[in-house]
Amino acid sequence: MQLSTKHLLGIKNLLKEDISTILSTARQFKEVLQRPIKKVPSLRDVTIVNLFYENSTRTRISFELAEKRLSADAINFAASASSVSKGETLLDTVNNILSMKVDMVVMRHSASGAPHFLARHVPAAIINAGDGINEHPTQALLDAFSITERLGVLEGKKILLVGDITHSRVALSNIHLLKKMGAEVMVAGPPTLIPKYIEEALQVKVEYNLKKALAWCDVANILRIQLERQNQVLFSSLREYNLAYGVTKKILDEINKEIIIMHPGPINRGVEIDSDVADSNQSIILQQVENGVAVRMAVLYLLSGVKN
Ligand code: CP
């Protein structure tokens, strides 16, 4: 099996067939990860660099673990501990790394479009691990994988994204993926955190009342307020945000409907989600993290060009 693309830069330009191929390959790798010996030789002799110009817990560890489970040689690069601080450019950094015979690059960067720039200038396969406010494709793939584990298919399912839609790369990748796969998508949050014209541009529903939005959906994916990406005051305080848009046990009890609760992490307890929701049986937050390894194994394997 192969994908129609050499790189994974985003979901926007990925074919529906590519998404299905990644999800079905991830199912096979998840089965491998349940075995006592979780390692397969699929990417032996393939070298992958994890190039992180921005902080990460889940994505960086998940990619590294996926690479190790596939028997690839994994190298970790943190910009803060590199010669970037001495003025080296992104392109010089990557070309120096590639000259050491590196085959694939996993990259997170605070600048939207940074992986697209690299893909135009270097021969290696580039995988976007999150670029600015643009896309986070492997997060959307693992979210989709986690939903299908619970609900079987995405087609016709009602998926709600709650919170800071404007600054969330997770939201944009999720919207592209869910729409391609036939799900209905709604976004909810304060008007200042939802882009104007999103309804027409991306064919999603918009709801400013959290209770109505939760009553509509099968799945609620709750997003963090991206304070580090906001350069102006967009809501009065975190306390007031929690009162209007925080997903609490009280509001879930009021709608009296068993919806699935998701969050890409990191979670801010008591802001966008309360602890008794994040830690409840309705929450699949840690299953999302678990599934990330199998999904990233699938992406790396399918983009490596290795034919086993
Ligand atoms: N979900 C996610 O991207 O988390 P990290 O920032 O910890 O990688």
Side-chain angles (χ1 to χ4, degrees):
M1 273 189 292
Q2 280 213 308
L3 301 182
S4 66
T5 172
K6 179 181 170 187
H7 311 283
L8 180 64
L9 302 177
I11 303 292
K12 186 178 177 190
N13 296 319
L14 206 58
L15 299 179
K16 184 178 174 182
E17 292 71 30
D18 289 329
I19 295 168
S20 298
T21 301
I22 293 168
L23 297 182
S24 61
T25 307
R27 273 178 214 112
Q28 293 171 31
F29 281 126
K30 178 140 187 196
E31 192 269 315
V32 169
L33 293 174
Q34 312 303 317
R35 295 179 194 161
I37 297 171
K38 300 172 180 60
K39 203 160 173 165
V40 286
S42 312
L43 295 195
R44 206 169 43 203
D45 296 330
V46 175
T47 306
I48 305 171
V49 64
N50 301 312
L51 205 62
F52 278 69
Y53 281 78
E54 201 187 65
N55 292 344
S56 168
T57 298
R58 280 145 291 273
T59 312
R60 199 194 61 72
I61 292 174
S62 181
F63 267 112
E64 186 179 348
L65 205 48
E67 289 150 12
K68 289 183 168 159
R69 300 287 193 228
L70 289 165
S71 306
D73 294 319
I75 304 162
N76 290 313
F77 167 99
S80 54
S82 75
S83 291
V84 169
S85 60
K86 300 173 195 163
E88 194 165 44
T89 66
L90 171 61
L91 197 51
D92 281 337
T93 301
V94 174
N95 275 328
N96 274 272
I97 292 170
L98 292 181
S99 71
M100 294 184 246
K101 307 285 179 253
V102 168
D103 303 295
M104 303 175 81
V105 178
V106 173
M107 188 175 75
R108 169 168 289 192
H109 204 287
S110 57
S112 299
H116 307 69
F117 168 80
L118 260 199
R120 284 195 296 275
H121 290 94
V122 302
I126 310 292
I127 298 164
N128 181 1
D131 66 319
I133 60 167
N134 182 38
E135 283 225 39
H136 192 348
T138 56
Q139 181 69 46
L141 287 160
L142 75 87
D143 288 346
F145 184 95
S146 305
I147 295 170
T148 56
E149 268 193 335
R150 287 297 177 105
L151 299 182
V153 292
L154 293 167
E155 186 156 11
K157 297 294 182 284
K158 294 179 172 167
I159 318 294
L160 172 68
L161 297 158
V162 185
D164 183 358
I165 308 299
T166 301
H167 302 94
S168 171
R169 55 196 176 206
V170 174
L172 191 57
S173 285
N174 261 273
I175 291 169
H176 285 312
L177 189 152
L178 293 165
K179 294 298 297 180
K180 280 176 200 273
M181 303 309 280
E184 286 186 59
V185 182
M186 177 184 282
V187 296
T192 48
L193 294 178
I194 295 184
K196 283 180 191 157
Y197 314 118
I198 190 171
E199 213 161 353
E200 302 81 24
L202 297 177
Q203 304 296 301
V204 298
K205 299 177 198 305
V206 177
E207 176 58 67
Y208 301 115
N209 180 301
L210 180 62
K211 197 191 278 187
K212 282 188 191 166
L214 289 169
W216 171 86
C217 71
D218 301 311
V219 177
N221 197 347
I222 301 156
L223 306 173
R224 184 174 66 87
I225 300 290
Q226 312 265 310
L227 286 175
E228 73 277 22
R229 299 189 207 286
Q230 298 176 10
N231 50 18
Q232 54 186 317
V233 179
L234 294 169
F235 54 93
S236 44
S237 68
L238 291 176
R239 174 79 192 124
E240 286 185 56
Y241 180 86
N242 177 254
L243 287 173
Y245 291 102
V247 178
T248 60
K249 186 170 182 313
K250 180 172 176 291
I251 196 166
L252 291 179
D253 287 346
E254 281 168 11
I255 64 164
N256 194 25
K257 184 179 170 194
E258 265 293 304
I259 61 174
I260 295 168
I261 298 293
M262 301 175 70
H263 193 308
I267 64 175
N268 286 146
R269 293 171 184 265
V271 181
E272 73 274 6
I273 189 167
D274 279 5
S275 283
D276 48 11
V277 175
D279 303 331
S280 70
N281 290 336
Q282 277 174 270
S283 160
I284 61 164
I285 294 171
L286 291 180
Q287 286 94 311
Q288 290 172 259
V289 178
E290 180 187 345
N291 290 334
V293 179
V295 167
R296 291 178 174 118
M297 285 172 80
V299 168
L300 292 164
Y301 172 69
L302 291 164
L303 290 178
S304 69
V306 170
K307 291 184 181 66
N308 284 335

